[in-house]
Amino acid sequence: TLARRLHAAKRAAQWAGSVAATRKTTPGFRLVEKYAAVVGGCDAHRYSLSSMTMLKDNHVNACGGIAPAVRKAKALGGFAVKVEVECQSLAEAEEAAAAGADVVMLDNHSAERIASPAAAIKAKYPHVIVEASGGITVDTVGGYMRCPHVDVISMGSITQGYSFVDFSLKVPPRDDAAAAAAGG
């Protein structure tokens, strides 16, 4: 499976982080697809929207900025719920970390582009988890694994990009001559 191949790549790269599926799953198959990711050696990330609060641009805009959004999410979730903020830049990631975010997701950064902001976040906020996400493929994941400051690489393709077996349970029309010859 793809999860197994990604886990093998992680071991080969001797990378200490986690490769995770995203929340995006096939309707009605979330538990099965998340289970497959875990069995394959990857992390499930979030099983549902309630597993962790993820703040995206709409949430940030509705609250008037990253810091107010993080503060509100922390107040509502309490001590038991982690808060993750989707960030487009180092400045956004630093604002999120300073406001108390548990995870900063550096979204749509290439493997080369993510190294510097990830290192800066870890230097200033070593307790914050740095996640790489957006556009990461099997062909590019190795570059992210070479970045020691990235803790999590999340990939939608773990639960969305698998191939399937197309089979049918149709019974073909009966050939009466063949059935008669076979004694039926």
Side-chain angles (χ1 to χ4, degrees):
T1 65
L2 176 59
R4 178 67 63 199
R5 288 194 335 253
L6 291 167
H7 182 69
K10 172 189 159 172
R11 280 197 323 260
Q14 298 180 350
W15 181 61
S18 296
V19 178
T22 65
R23 183 185 53 82
K24 300 167 188 159
T25 56
T26 306
F29 287 92
R30 176 178 293 138
L31 190 58
V32 173
E33 290 172 346
K34 293 291 190 165
Y35 179 73
V38 170
V39 168
C42 291
D43 190 274
H45 200 286
R46 296 185 297 161
Y47 281 99
S48 68
L49 291 173
S50 65
S51 298
M52 176 170 50
T53 300
M54 181 181 287
L55 300 174
K56 298 173 90 54
D57 57 352
N58 283 339
H59 307 107
V60 169
N61 293 339
C63 290
I66 290 173
V70 171
R71 284 193 298 271
K72 287 179 183 181
K74 287 291 217 180
L76 288 171
F79 72 92
V81 178
K82 285 185 178 180
V83 174
E84 177 171 9
V85 180
E86 184 180 84
C87 303
Q88 304 303 319
S89 67
L90 174 58
E92 288 182 1
E94 286 178 332
E95 183 179 355
D102 302 289
V103 183
V104 294
M105 176 201 296
L106 297 172
D107 193 33
N108 293 312
H109 285 58
S110 68
E112 297 77 25
R113 188 175 153 226
I114 204 166
S116 178
I121 291 297
K122 282 300 194 181
K124 195 168 182 181
Y125 305 96
H127 63 284
V128 172
I129 295 169
V130 175
E131 177 180 344
S133 188
I136 301 169
T137 67
V138 173
D139 295 330
T140 62
V141 72
Y144 294 89
M145 291 178 181
R146 287 190 286 278
C147 183
H149 304 293
V150 171
D151 302 301
V152 178
I153 299 168
S154 59
M155 299 173 64
S157 61
I158 295 171
T159 55
Q160 294 177 319
Y162 53 85
S163 58
F164 57 90
V165 175
D166 186 13
F167 65 94
S168 174
L169 298 176
K170 289 188 181 261
V171 176
R174 183 176 167 157
D175 179 357
D176 288 334

